[in-house]
Amino acid sequence: MSLLQIRKLSMAIHGTPILKDVSLEIAAGEIHGVIGESGSGKSMTAFSVMQLLPDGAACSGQILLDDVSVLDAGEADLCAMRGDAVGMVFQEPMTALNPVMSIGDQVAETILIHEDVSKADAMARAQAALERCELPADKFPMTRFPHELSGGQRQRVVIAMAIALRPKLLIADEPTTALDVTTQAEILDLIRKLVDEDGMGVMLITHDLAVVTGLADRISIMKDGCVVEQGAAATLHRDMTHPYTKSLFAASAHQPDRNERPGEAPLLQVEGLVRRYSLPRKSLFGPAQSFEAVDDVSFEVKKGESLGLVGESGCGKSTLTRAILGLERVQAGKIFMEGVPVLSGGRVQTSVRRKMQVVFQDPYGSFNPRHRVGRLVSEPFFLHGRKASAVEIDEALVSVGLAPHDKHKYIHEFSGGQRQRIAIARALIIKPELIILDEAVSALDVSIRAQILDLLADLSTQFGLTYLFISHDLSVVRSITDRVLVMKSGKFVEEGPTETVFENPAHPYTKSLIAAAPRLPDMDDMQGVTP
């Protein structure tokens, strides 16, 4: 018998159709993956089950949770259901947690709301839930606050909150999107362990086919508010019939066509770079302590090369990036751009800095929403001390596949993929020689990611660009780079040609990263898919 049954569910917001005749079932002990791109209706399906919908939303059809009709339940019954019968894990744990409450109090709060127990009992059960999520008290006291934990540890706290009352159904909405590969693997293993121990059903929402193919029992593919295909996770890649499903698998396995001919002359040289942070003293008269986020790092990037930099969160990738851009003060080392020092007298030389541009992970967060796109794209010209001409703005937008009239719009009027194109146009407009891409495609849907990777490959050929590509997504790094550096604890532990490192990793850490990365089935096994 099914734990959750969704039958012909339709949902509209102020009369605009969002979901259309969605039907799927989840059994106890089953992990059901719900796959689709942004706007496909995945999250709205989950929110319909919880009845956490925006004002103006109206549902029709049927949602049965353990044979109880969710759509017919009153608000008091729904409040009792949320957190008790159904738990939810959100994509971004930092925004899902209260920054001024300790992790123990936040997990215990769920128990106190639903059960008449003492605070001491609730805290004891909260500790047990955290222990189950592999946060033992001796290493992670319940008095810690969210900002004192890493991204993976915060996600474990959110899972502990969701499973504290041992719900029958767990909804996980993109629970691993922003995590590095080893942390992602740990979270996915944790979800599987909890399912096996408690027999709960899981609705796993994600846009990553590789993640869901390796973990789920069944998969539903959503597009434009509809379920277009369903099947067993182990065989869907062979049995799929819908063109959209095939396009998702093709985009997930996409390899951009690249002209791999880097020059011999070094463009960027980094020698003995050290970035040290001071740590708080353990006592008033205790010795001063420090932490070296970047520890005596040296490397070079050749003209026309695409160099990948990989490693787990906290390894020093982003700190190194900021140091290269002159946004971090360094304690030792030198940075040269075409043989010219980037720093002079502790300050960035503008004439050298203008040869480097950066594309960030979150394009929306890196733009001022009050300005039009034309103004945003032209910002790098402040390094020149002049304004960009209309022709220069138009050329930059056209080079990334947008139209000149887009310069009159605001950033909120564009999709995620279009915003990333605008971010690339902003980086291109002053014709830099090096572009640093810091997790630039991590949060994008697979089809948008494929388009951006193709765009980067085309721009590299067209303008002779050099890329420093920073990512925790190993499949992306493998598809877009010539050479790769592997970073751990502020040092490089391995480097070499990308295919050599991926096929024959030498360092144990590199081997662990590659082993943890989720994989799609072999292309030869995929029916009707062209990579």
Side-chain angles (χ1 to χ4, degrees), residues 416-475:
Q418 289 171 326
R419 290 172 190 159
Q420 200 61 292
R421 287 175 183 268
I422 294 168
I424 295 171
R426 178 174 63 179
L428 284 173
I429 194 167
I430 59 173
K431 296 180 172 56
E433 298 185 38
L434 173 68
I435 294 182
I436 300 174
L437 300 122
D438 190 0
E439 300 283 6
V441 298
S442 302
L444 301 180
D445 294 322
V446 289
S447 61
I448 303 300
R449 183 181 70 185
Q451 293 172 19
I452 296 298
L453 293 179
D454 281 340
L455 172 64
L456 293 173
D458 291 343
L459 293 172
S460 177
T461 302
Q462 183 179 352
F463 298 111
L465 294 173
T466 303
Y467 294 135
L468 176 56
F469 205 99
I470 300 161
S471 180
H472 64 251
D473 190 328
L474 298 186
S475 64

Side-chain angles (χ1 to χ4, degrees), residues 60-347:
S60 62
Q62 196 173 43
I63 302 175
L64 298 177
L65 179 62
D66 219 11
D67 286 335
V68 175
S69 176
V70 172
L71 298 185
D72 294 330
E75 185 60 27
D77 293 330
L78 291 173
C79 288
M81 175 194 77
R82 300 175 190 132
D84 187 4
V86 183
M88 189 156 188
V89 178
F90 296 94
Q91 176 176 352
E92 178 44 63
M94 197 60 188
T95 58
L97 293 170
N98 188 329
V100 299
M101 289 180 65
S102 69
I103 60 174
D105 284 339
Q106 295 192 61
V107 178
E109 183 180 41
T110 304
I111 301 169
L112 291 169
I113 287 173
H114 287 276
E115 296 185 8
D116 185 14
V117 297
S118 68
K119 179 68 179 292
D121 287 341
M123 293 297 286
R125 289 170 61 180
Q127 181 61 70
L130 289 167
E131 293 272 0
R132 292 189 70 205
C133 293
E134 299 168 6
L135 293 174
D138 57 336
K139 294 183 179 179
F140 304 98
M142 290 199 296
T143 53
R144 283 197 178 183
F145 289 88
H147 71 272
E148 299 179 277
L149 303 176
S150 69
Q153 291 161 358
R154 288 194 288 262
Q155 195 64 288
R156 291 175 187 274
V157 175
V158 174
I159 294 174
M161 293 170 63
I163 60 109
L165 293 171
R166 296 183 182 261
K168 298 175 182 178
L169 175 68
L170 179 68
I171 299 174
D173 190 1
E174 300 277 10
T176 63
T177 297
L179 303 179
D180 55 58
V181 288
T182 51
T183 305
Q184 174 180 262
E186 292 169 0
I187 295 298
L188 296 176
D189 287 344
L190 173 61
I191 291 174
R192 170 52 73 183
K193 184 188 80 169
L194 294 172
V195 169
D196 293 341
E197 290 177 354
D198 293 353
M200 63 183 175
V202 173
M203 178 188 289
L204 178 63
I205 299 169
T206 181
H207 63 255
D208 193 329
L209 275 167
V211 166
V212 83
T213 300
L215 181 69
D217 302 298
R218 288 183 57 79
I219 293 176
S220 293
I221 306 291
M222 292 193 69
K223 182 179 187 294
D224 298 331
C226 301
V227 174
V228 298
E229 189 156 11
Q230 292 182 329
T235 59
L236 183 63
H237 64 282
R238 295 196 302 267
D239 302 336
M240 56 187 169
T241 58
H242 198 279
Y244 180 68
T245 308
K246 294 179 180 180
S247 71
L248 284 182
F249 274 96
S252 298
H254 181 70
Q255 299 284 328
D257 294 328
R258 298 179 55 246
N259 183 18
E260 301 181 17
R261 285 183 291 184
E264 293 298 323
L267 176 66
L268 175 72
Q269 293 172 288
V270 176
E271 299 177 359
L273 201 69
V274 174
R275 176 56 172 121
R276 185 181 302 111
Y277 293 101
S278 298
L279 297 177
R281 295 175 185 266
K282 291 185 177 180
S283 65
L284 182 62
F285 301 104
Q289 294 182 311
S290 63
F291 166 70
E292 294 189 349
V294 178
D295 188 4
D296 193 21
V297 162
S298 299
F299 70 100
E300 65 178 33
V301 187
K302 297 176 182 178
K303 288 186 178 181
E305 183 180 35
S306 180
L307 177 65
L309 177 57
V310 302
E312 296 174 296
S313 298
C315 72
K317 303 189 303 292
S318 294
T319 302
L320 175 59
T321 302
R322 292 194 298 271
I324 292 170
L325 292 167
L327 302 176
E328 285 274 357
R329 181 177 58 86
V330 298
Q331 281 74 36
K334 298 178 181 179
I335 306 168
F336 298 94
M337 190 72 177
E338 293 188 303
V340 179
V342 174
L343 301 174
S344 178
R347 301 185 66 180

